[in-house]
Amino acid sequence: QVQLVESGGGLVQPGGSLKLSCATSGSILSINSMGWHRQAPGKQRELVAVITSGGNTNYADSVQGRFTISRDNAENTVYLQMNSVNYEDTAVYYCTARSRYGSRYWGPGTQVTVSS
């Protein structure tokens, strides 16, 4: 089992920045990739960014150039640096992990609200 806990969510102004963190525990050596998903009210959950064990990254078109996903393997932590945020970035953000066995894990989520 893998446990994920997000932190860093909160209120941020349009154009501002926010950095989310995701701490991992449990069978962390089984993780092949990690990522961030988000779900806004009334909308489907969508992939925001993903990073593989090899360091490859992928981003949703809506956040490309503004968000950066990164890892700190020594601390077993993944980050999402959010820059130039806009109202459409308001959502619950979920940390996700995929194991080499095909299992998918989700954190409880953290609220990000972009408001002036």
Side-chain angles (χ1 to χ4, degrees):
Q1 292 291 311
V2 174
Q3 293 80 46
L4 309 171
V5 180
E6 305 96 338
S7 62
L11 189 66
V12 60
Q13 298 180 88
S17 297
L18 199 66
K19 188 174 184 178
L20 306 182
S21 299
C22 176
T24 65
S25 61
S27 302
I28 57 177
L29 294 179
S30 69
I31 297 175
N32 275 356
S33 64
M34 298 190 67
W36 293 90
H37 287 72
R38 68 184 182 185
Q39 186 165 23
K43 294 190 175 182
Q44 295 182 350
R45 187 181 302 168
E46 64 174 345
L47 175 69
V48 176
V50 64
I51 185 167
T52 69
S53 59
N56 295 319
T57 59
N58 190 39
Y59 299 91
D61 290 340
S62 59
V63 307
Q64 189 92 48
R66 299 187 298 118
F67 292 6
T68 302
I69 187 171
S70 61
R71 303 178 307 189
D72 185 338
N73 290 330
E75 299 294 331
N76 300 314
T77 304
V78 64
Y79 303 95
L80 184 68
Q81 178 66 50
M82 306 168 60
N83 296 328
S84 302
V85 299
N86 54 55
Y87 296 122
E88 288 70 41
D89 295 320
T90 294
V92 176
Y93 284 72
Y94 299 92
C95 180
T96 62
R98 189 188 72 188
S99 77
R100 57 179 173 170
Y101 311 111
S103 298
R104 189 73 169 269
Y105 302 93
W106 298 80
T110 185
Q111 177 71 48
V112 173
T113 301
V114 182
S115 177
S116 59

